[in-house]
Amino acid sequence: MQNGNFIRMLTRMQNVPRWDEYAPRFPDNAASHSFRVALFSLMASYLEEADGQPPVDRQILLGKALFHDMNEVITGPIKHRTKKEPTLHAHIQAMEQQASEQLVALLSKSLQPAFTTYLVHAEDESPEGRIVEAIDTFDAMLYARREARMTESVFFEQKAAELQAVLERHPLVSIRRLTQSVMEEDEMSHFIENVLMMDTIRRWKGRFNTIDDNDATHAFRAASLGIFNGLIESEKYGVTIDIEEVVSRLLCHDLVEGTTGDVLGPVKHATPVTAAAFEAYERAEGETLINNLPKEIRAPFRRFVVEAKDETYEGQMVDVIDKLDALIKMNMERKLNGVEYETGYRAQLKKVQMTYENPSVVFFLAYVLHDLDYVTS
């Protein structure tokens, strides 16, 4: 059992670059990309249901979306053209499967069946796999379109047009609808653009950071921890928890910062009056953001965005996982940058230890955080 090593590998997703050979204006990585794929897959699943299609298993959908590229922390990024080269395709596919199985083997036995589905069979022919595969292409189109708009790159202009043509003919109605929204720049496109720009919202501002962090990479780690902790609770300790709800909320809990920015915690909570004012402001901006979505899917996204940290057990899990991710970030930083982060790490650790008794939190502190502190083989 090397759960901490699995989480360590998870944090390395943000070190796996995408598109870097084309010198993009907005650097991309596997973590930011996987966050977007997960959130757009969530949107697609609700759009499919609104169109009368059979519901998919959203927990499986979100797991596949979040972890579909995790094997790249072992294989490194491989260009799509190289993957499709006939003489190499089978070799690369076998290598990626072996890497995925190697990652799954790090986990507790009780978690391995679910994560085999998420990693090894991510883009299979299941309804969930088909959505993830299509959204993978949709996100590439969005990214290329943003680069073309900002840099006038011929490559990105051609790539965006090529992918748009594929998406407009896609058999899934949700994919065609999302693509049409972007092309027509309707209200839903404003929500989509907000998601795309989350990688520009930097976190931990005002501190010297050796590891860059933004809202997209944070949401990826938090949502991934949501699945991990949720399965620890349900499979290992028999706790009844809606993992789909937890992960959906974690993906969306900071979307409002696309408008408000990432205001430092000590500023937002300087006094009770200040905290209440910021809460009201963020709730109002969240409602504005949600109103960009089609009416038929606003209700669940209102929970995910506006009520992410409510008093339900799932809302409490969102709150604690947000803090656990801060522990992970500060733990990485303090090893290279102790002066800046050691005191904050100790204070955050004490706060978590004194406040939360969820089985997954106890497990995280006892095993995962220990493994992150001390490198194990």
Side-chain angles (χ1 to χ4, degrees):
M1 181 178 71
Q2 300 179 49
N3 294 288
N5 280 339
F6 180 88
I7 300 301
R8 181 184 292 109
M9 299 297 274
L10 185 74
T11 65
R12 293 178 183 172
M13 290 276 280
Q14 65 196 68
N15 300 327
V16 179
R18 289 171 53 84
W19 309 95
D20 62 319
E21 62 269 38
Y22 302 106
R25 163 69 176 78
F26 296 90
D28 198 18
N29 59 64
S32 295
H33 163 67
S34 297
F35 153 71
R36 296 190 302 267
V37 170
L39 209 157
F40 292 140
S41 294
L42 184 65
M43 290 177 66
S45 71
Y46 280 103
L47 290 171
E48 288 289 324
E49 282 190 28
D51 189 60
Q53 303 303 315
V56 299
D57 186 322
R58 284 198 187 88
Q59 182 179 321
I60 289 178
L61 174 69
L62 294 171
K64 286 173 179 280
L66 286 166
F67 299 111
H68 74 285
D69 277 344
M70 191 175 172
N71 56 40
E72 291 184 6
V73 299
I74 294 176
T75 67
I78 303 173
K79 292 181 70 171
H80 181 76
R81 178 177 179 177
T82 302
K83 286 185 178 184
K84 297 304 180 184
E85 165 59 38
T87 59
L88 298 174
H89 178 68
H91 299 285
I92 292 174
Q93 198 170 44
M95 182 170 49
E96 289 178 333
Q97 178 167 335
Q98 184 179 16
S100 296
E101 291 170 348
Q102 182 179 335
L103 289 165
V104 171
L106 296 173
L107 292 160
S108 299
K109 294 291 185 184
S110 59
L111 305 188
Q112 289 184 12
F115 276 90
T116 296
T117 299
Y118 304 155
L119 271 77
V120 181
H121 307 301
E123 296 184 10
D124 58 12
E125 291 303 313
S126 67
E128 297 81 12
R130 290 176 62 223
I131 289 177
V132 171
E133 184 177 26
I135 292 294
D136 200 16
T137 303
F138 176 72
D139 181 64
M141 185 272 291
L142 283 178
Y143 184 85
R145 193 168 181 269
R146 177 174 65 174
E147 286 295 325
R149 193 167 63 240
M150 296 297 294
T151 66
E152 299 183 353
S153 161
V154 173
F155 166 78
F156 281 115
E157 286 180 1
Q158 293 175 345
K159 178 57 68 174
E162 171 195 328
L163 297 175
Q164 177 186 338
V166 171
L167 293 165
E168 288 175 336
R169 300 191 304 270
H170 200 278
L172 289 176
V173 65
S174 60
I175 305 304
R176 298 197 304 273
R177 190 169 177 185
L178 287 167
T179 305
Q180 182 183 11
S181 173
V182 172
M183 296 304 114
E184 294 181 355
E185 298 185 354
D186 64 10
E187 286 188 332
M188 185 163 65
S189 74
H190 300 314
F191 186 94
I192 293 170
E193 180 73 8
N194 190 91
V195 174
L196 179 63
M197 297 303 289
M198 292 296 282
D199 61 3
T200 68
I201 311 298
R202 296 186 64 189
R203 290 168 56 81
W204 307 93
K205 289 175 286 193
R207 298 194 187 197
F208 175 75
N209 293 283
T210 59
I211 301 166
D212 285 334
D213 200 15
N214 60 58
D215 275 359
T217 52
H218 161 63
F220 164 75
R221 293 192 307 269
S224 300
L225 279 175
I227 288 188
F228 177 84
N229 279 27
L231 287 171
I232 289 289
E233 298 248 331
S234 63
E235 300 299 322
K236 204 171 187 68
Y237 295 104
V239 175
T240 300
I241 182 171
D242 188 337
I243 298 175
E244 169 199 324
E245 183 76 14
V246 172
V247 177
S248 300
R249 292 182 183 210
L250 284 163
L251 284 170
C252 298
H253 77 285
D254 277 342
L255 286 184
V256 71
E257 292 184 3
T259 301
T260 67
D262 180 28
V263 181
L264 296 175
V267 174
K268 291 169 70 172
H269 301 98
T271 69
V273 174
T274 302
F278 267 103
E279 183 179 355
Y281 169 56
E282 290 179 345
R283 174 174 286 273
E285 292 297 339
E287 291 287 355
T288 299
L289 182 62
I290 294 307
N291 287 335
N292 288 313
L293 292 171
K295 290 181 179 179
E296 59 267 29
I297 70 171
R298 287 179 191 172
F301 278 88
R302 181 166 286 106
R303 293 199 313 275
F304 305 156
V305 175
V306 179
E307 301 165 6
K309 296 181 180 180
D310 63 14
E311 295 304 313
T312 63
Y313 192 71
E314 288 72 22
Q316 294 171 27
M317 284 293 291
V318 171
D319 183 50
V320 68
I321 288 170
D322 203 17
K323 291 178 173 59
L324 293 182
D325 182 63
L327 271 180
I328 290 174
K329 157 70 174 176
M330 288 191 283
N331 189 50
M332 292 189 294
E333 286 284 356
R334 74 190 182 99
K335 295 177 181 179
L336 302 171
N337 188 14
V339 173
E340 190 78 52
Y341 276 96
E342 185 67 36
T343 302
Y345 172 78
R346 293 296 171 189
Q348 180 81 331
L349 178 59
K350 183 177 180 180
K351 183 176 182 179
V352 171
Q353 288 172 327
M354 298 295 289
T355 307
Y356 302 97
E357 297 180 345
N358 311 62
S360 61
V361 177
V362 175
F363 183 92
F364 180 92
L365 296 176
Y367 296 102
V368 176
L369 197 59
H370 173 273
D371 286 355
L372 292 174
D373 254 340
Y374 304 99
V375 177
T376 55
S377 60

